[in-house]
Amino acid sequence: MNALVMKNTRNNTVLLAVLAVVLAVLPWALGGLFENGNSWLRAVDFALLYIMLALGLNIVVGYAGLLDLGYIAFYAVGAYLFAILNSPHLQAVLPAWLSHPPFLVMMVMAAVVAGIFGVLLGSPTLKLRGDYLAIVTLGFGEIVRIFMNNLDRPINITNGPQGINNIDPVQIAGYDFGRPIEFLGLTFEKIHLYYYLILAFCALIIFVSIRLQNSRIGRAWVAIREDEIAANAMGINTRNVKLLAFAMGASFGGVSGALFASFQGFVSPESFVLMESVMVLCMVVLGGMGNIPGVILGAIIVSITPELLRDIINPLQMAIAGKKVVDPENLRMLIFGLAMIIIMLVRPEGLWPSKRRRAELHPKTKGIALQEKDSLQDAERNHD
Amino acid sequence: MDIFLQQIINGLVVGSIYALIALGYTMVYGIMQLINFAHGEIVMIGAMVTITCINLLVGAGVQLPGPALLLAGLLMAIPVSMFLGYSIEKIAYQPLRKAPRLAPLITAIGVSIVLQQAAMLIWGRNYRPFPPILPSEVHIIGGAAITDLQIAIIVLALLLMGGLFFLIEKTKLGRAMRATAQNPEVAKLMGVNVNTIISMTFVIGSALGAMAGVMVAANYDQAHAYMGFMIGLKAFTAAVLGGIGNIGGAVLGGLLLGIIESLGSGYLGDLTGGVLGSNYKDIFAFVVLIIVLVFRPSGLMGERVAERA
């Protein structure tokens, strides 16, 4: 038994090392394999941001079982905070100590401010569960977006639908990520530098997620998800623990939003529509709620598939019909929607579900199987 | 004063459209506890098919009075929407009745993306103008203007809602629907074919949605492949406001939301001294939604239900 555990850990270490090497050389491999390697690397950068978002939402939805349809609002809060403090837009009015804060201070601020928004949303809605909570959070997300769109009057805070541009690139230890850096004979362009930066944050968030999962708080979240009344009876302060889930999930969103703003150099309300919240939720559910590798897989699939289709659909159309018959952008989203439906029909528990969820849906013992059967279907079968 | 009356009239027109769409959401939720996110797209497709049909008829040189043309368009659009509603339920929801609650929600979102993009492929990304076939005579009542079209929308919506009330309260089908919403298991034991009832719910809701879509297009003189999304959200808010699952609640919620929105966008500028303008129009639906859900989660007319996970 002991040997087995040790072998497993050794295997894991080897796997992790291989993964680390692959991730380290990925930008150069992409650059070498494809002529448009940089646009692929850009897609990978965004995929990493989405992984961070999906892991944040996974805390709220996957662990605590609170369905949040307005999650992108926290991403927006992080992004706008970074944009306002790090662009010429509001420099005239900002106090000196607030403008251009050091990078790490900025990241902590993004996490804290987004976390406060999470608590603001969470505290009045704690009583609600399931669909009702989903609807309230959806409304919250839309309200944040409408304000971003309209807060250019009477005081111009968000610059309205035009958004804020000229956002500074990240500066760490005197290095400006906006300019190529020569290191070990390699030229690191902006896109490479951001890849490693976002990757580092992504790793940090994965680490925090794993640690949270097995912590006291993580177990309290799962207890609430499974049976709130029982969890309360066992002495869990459900109110505080739920608030904590909202705050933690939101702060993950805030950090990725800040990274997004400086990577793009530009933010506008268009990036934070309801569809984005829905996409992140799809990542979590398609991948497998509550299971970290599953969520990561979901985020990669959902964010990369449309990019892949972009490169496949046009050549395919040219080959078959000799011209562009339909708009590739529409076709891409159409296929994406179909894929969502099909995956859910085939594997409603997600592609890589957590062990607990798999057990719930595919019970091994007959006794549980009987209990789990839905009454509606049961009645139907007896009748027909 | 006449501005107030004008806003009330506008609110009633928009509100009765919201109410019609809200009925589709609320009936499905009442029976299956499912938010049918694809319903807004059904509304949009109803509008698009009608416009296309009218244009085809006019293009073919058919000489008919405006309302007859509209009726012909509707006779095409309603069956299309009904068929779509029926197929959506069969393909995307029925296989998932046993699955975790989130799975049908995701397929609903998938269906709504598919329908939206299919509409984009068929009708393109431009606004489709509503053909100018309807008389647009303006009446002045107490200083406020109301057009024939607006009167027709309110009257037709009321008739449809009345018809639905009759169907649900007085007919055998309606009784079966109520029974299924109460307890599908027992309904089944009483000889109700639950599957058929659920299909009928989708079909009826889609037919109402298609008509509402035509009303939206006629009222704003245009339709667009993306229009289903916002109108669906608003109608859904109306359903929640009234108490989701409650038919009367959906009607009340729709009318209330229409009036709140109309008065709100009409007066917000004056009340805040021009700081917040009518560009905040869309915010009312969501603010109302949050306030209602926080203080009375079951909605205005909904019964207080035990907590649903």
Side-chain angles (χ1 to χ4, degrees):
Chain A
M1 187 66 196
N2 233 343
L4 195 75
V5 171
M6 280 189 42
K7 197 174 165 219
N8 262 338
T9 6
R10 197 180 310 140
N11 276 350
N12 279 343
T13 321
V14 172
L15 253 174
L16 264 180
V18 171
L19 193 65
V21 172
V22 168
L23 286 175
V25 299
L26 185 67
W28 312 105
L30 282 175
L33 285 173
F34 306 100
E35 47 184 320
N36 54 351
N38 269 4
S39 73
W40 275 110
L41 187 55
R42 205 179 143 74
V44 170
D45 286 1
F46 277 109
L48 287 172
L49 283 173
Y50 275 119
I51 291 178
M52 292 165 71
L53 275 180
L55 284 171
L57 186 62
N58 182 45
I59 290 185
V60 186
V61 181
Y63 291 172
L66 305 162
L67 185 50
D68 186 348
L69 274 179
Y71 184 68
I72 211 72
F74 306 124
Y75 190 57
V77 167
Y80 266 88
L81 188 73
F82 191 97
I84 288 171
L85 300 188
N86 292 286
S87 75
H89 174 59
L90 273 184
Q91 283 315 315
V93 258
L94 278 183
W97 59 272
L98 248 182
S99 69
H100 302 281
F103 176 66
L104 285 177
V105 176
M106 185 62 232
M107 283 300 157
V108 173
M109 275 169 69
V112 171
V113 172
I116 291 172
F117 267 80
V119 173
L120 279 182
L121 164 69
S123 45
T125 54
L126 278 174
K127 279 181 297 180
L128 306 171
R129 275 204 75 174
D131 298 336
Y132 289 143
L133 184 67
I135 304 158
V136 171
T137 48
L138 184 156
F140 174 77
E142 282 300 292
I143 289 175
V144 169
R145 190 182 60 80
I146 292 171
F147 270 106
M148 287 187 303
N149 233 330
N150 291 301
L151 269 184
D152 48 350
R153 285 175 304 140
I155 309 165
N156 189 351
I157 300 174
T158 61
N159 208 18
Q162 288 93 20
I164 302 175
N165 49 22
N166 285 330
I167 301 170
D168 300 339
V170 168
Q171 306 215 352
I172 300 174
Y175 287 107
D176 183 345
F177 275 36
R179 279 186 224 121
I181 295 174
E182 297 272 349
F183 185 67
L184 293 176
L186 290 168
T187 315
F188 290 78
E189 286 172 46
K190 178 184 173 187
I191 205 163
H192 294 100
L193 295 167
Y194 269 96
Y195 168 77
Y196 290 111
L197 179 71
I198 300 173
L199 187 65
F201 271 92
C202 206
L204 176 73
I205 278 181
I206 293 173
F207 177 74
V208 174
S209 281
I210 293 173
R211 301 290 294 181
L212 272 175
Q213 190 172 30
N214 301 320
S215 70
R216 245 178 100 82
I217 300 165
R219 283 176 285 137
W221 284 333
V222 173
I224 288 178
R225 185 186 74 200
E226 296 296 315
D227 190 336
E228 189 170 341
I229 297 164
N232 211 348
M234 295 307 287
I236 294 172
N237 184 336
T238 49
R239 191 179 58 114
N240 290 356
V241 172
K242 275 189 189 176
L243 269 187
L244 195 63
F246 264 117
M248 300 245 12
S251 61
F252 283 21
V255 169
S256 30
L259 287 172
F260 166 77
S262 83
F263 178 49
Q264 272 291 78
F266 167 72
V267 290
S268 78
E270 264 173 50
S271 310
F272 311 105
V273 291
L274 177 70
M275 202 59 214
E276 289 288 313
S277 286
V278 168
M279 286 293 166
V280 181
L281 182 68
C282 287
M283 294 170 185
V284 175
V285 178
L286 282 181
M289 292 199 319
N291 192 31
I292 295 167
V295 171
I296 296 173
L297 180 72
I300 293 172
I301 291 176
V302 174
S303 56
I304 296 286
T305 312
E307 300 297 323
L308 279 176
L309 287 174
R310 199 198 299 277
D311 274 21
I312 292 170
I313 284 174
N314 265 340
L316 201 67
Q317 281 198 57
M318 295 302 274
I320 295 173
K323 59 181 166 101
K324 276 189 198 169
V325 184
V326 294
D327 185 358
E329 194 66 13
N330 291 147
L331 199 58
R332 181 170 82 92
M333 286 308 287
L334 189 84
I335 296 175
F336 178 69
L338 280 176
M340 264 163 70
I341 301 172
I342 292 168
I343 296 181
M344 273 298 112
L345 290 178
V346 181
R347 282 185 77 93
E349 72 271 36
L351 293 170
W352 192 344
S354 64
K355 276 186 199 132
R356 180 191 295 269
R357 200 159 281 270
R358 191 175 316 166
E360 276 167 19
L361 280 154
H362 302 285
K364 287 211 178 69
T365 48
K366 192 112 202 260
I368 301 176
L370 280 175
Q371 278 173 27
E372 296 274 333
K373 247 186 209 155
D374 185 71
S375 51
L376 180 61
Q377 286 224 332
D378 227 11
E380 258 166 40
R381 202 167 298 127
N382 294 343
H383 185 76
D384 290 338
Chain B
M1 192 58 205
D2 49 349
I3 294 178
F4 180 75
L5 195 61
Q6 185 71 60
Q7 295 297 349
I8 294 276
I9 289 175
N10 293 347
L12 278 177
V13 174
V14 180
S16 46
I17 299 175
Y18 286 161
L20 270 189
I21 308 173
L23 287 171
Y25 280 103
T26 223
M27 289 196 317
V28 167
Y29 193 91
I31 285 189
M32 295 169 75
Q33 271 80 52
L34 167 77
I35 305 174
N36 179 16
F37 269 106
H39 191 56
E41 266 60 46
I42 300 266
V43 173
M44 174 269 294
I45 285 177
M48 288 304 216
V49 172
T50 309
I51 291 179
T52 307
C53 280
I54 295 174
N55 282 336
L56 280 179
L57 286 175
V58 172
V62 178
Q63 296 290 333
L64 279 174
L69 278 174
L70 183 63
L71 193 69
L74 271 173
L75 283 179
M76 271 306 288
I78 293 175
V80 169
S81 290
M82 284 172 146
F83 173 74
L84 269 180
Y86 178 82
S87 339
I88 290 170
E89 196 271 327
K90 283 286 172 244
I91 296 168
Y93 302 148
Q94 199 183 54
L96 288 170
R97 292 216 187 118
K98 215 177 118 187
R101 288 283 298 282
L102 270 176
L105 194 73
I106 300 282
T107 56
I109 292 164
V111 170
S112 121
I113 294 177
V114 168
L115 291 180
Q116 205 176 65
Q117 299 301 325
M120 286 288 252
L121 287 177
I122 299 172
W123 288 290
R125 39 184 78 243
N126 294 326
Y127 281 92
R128 293 265 149 162
F130 193 82
I133 52 165
L134 297 175
S136 56
E137 203 171 316
V138 182
H139 308 276
I140 306 288
I141 306 171
I146 184 166
T147 62
D148 279 342
L149 177 68
Q150 288 176 314
I151 296 174
I153 288 178
I154 296 179
V155 171
L156 186 61
L158 285 177
L159 283 178
L160 285 172
M161 287 178 230
L164 186 70
F165 266 117
F166 178 78
L167 179 88
I168 287 181
E169 294 299 327
K170 300 286 181 216
T171 63
K172 208 175 156 192
L173 173 66
R175 195 186 306 165
M177 283 167 78
R178 279 180 288 143
T180 311
Q182 280 282 327
N183 188 335
E185 208 169 328
V186 178
K188 191 95 215 183
L189 290 175
M190 296 294 143
V192 174
N193 189 336
V194 172
N195 272 334
T196 312
I197 294 302
I198 292 178
S199 296
M200 284 308 291
T201 310
F202 273 83
V203 167
I204 295 170
S206 302
L208 293 176
M211 285 184 259
V214 176
M215 292 177 184
V216 179
N219 193 34
Y220 295 110
D221 281 326
Q222 62 188 28
H224 188 250
Y226 278 148
M227 75 186 233
F229 174 71
M230 208 25 142
I231 197 112
L233 271 187
K234 297 260 183 76
F236 179 67
T237 303
V240 175
L241 175 61
I244 194 153
N246 184 315
I247 303 278
V251 175
L252 179 72
L255 291 175
L256 262 182
L257 186 69
I259 291 172
I260 293 174
E261 209 177 82
S262 171
L263 284 181
S265 57
Y267 282 99
L268 191 66
D270 294 343
L271 284 178
T272 55
V275 173
L276 304 174
S278 57
N279 41 358
Y280 281 90
K281 177 175 146 275
D282 288 341
I283 220 165
F284 293 103
F286 302 110
V287 172
V288 166
L289 180 72
I290 290 180
I291 293 173
V292 171
L293 280 181
V294 168
F295 291 104
R296 201 180 153 85
S298 48
L300 297 176
M301 284 175 72
E303 35 195 299
R304 291 206 172 265
V305 278
E307 187 174 82
R308 275 202 182 110

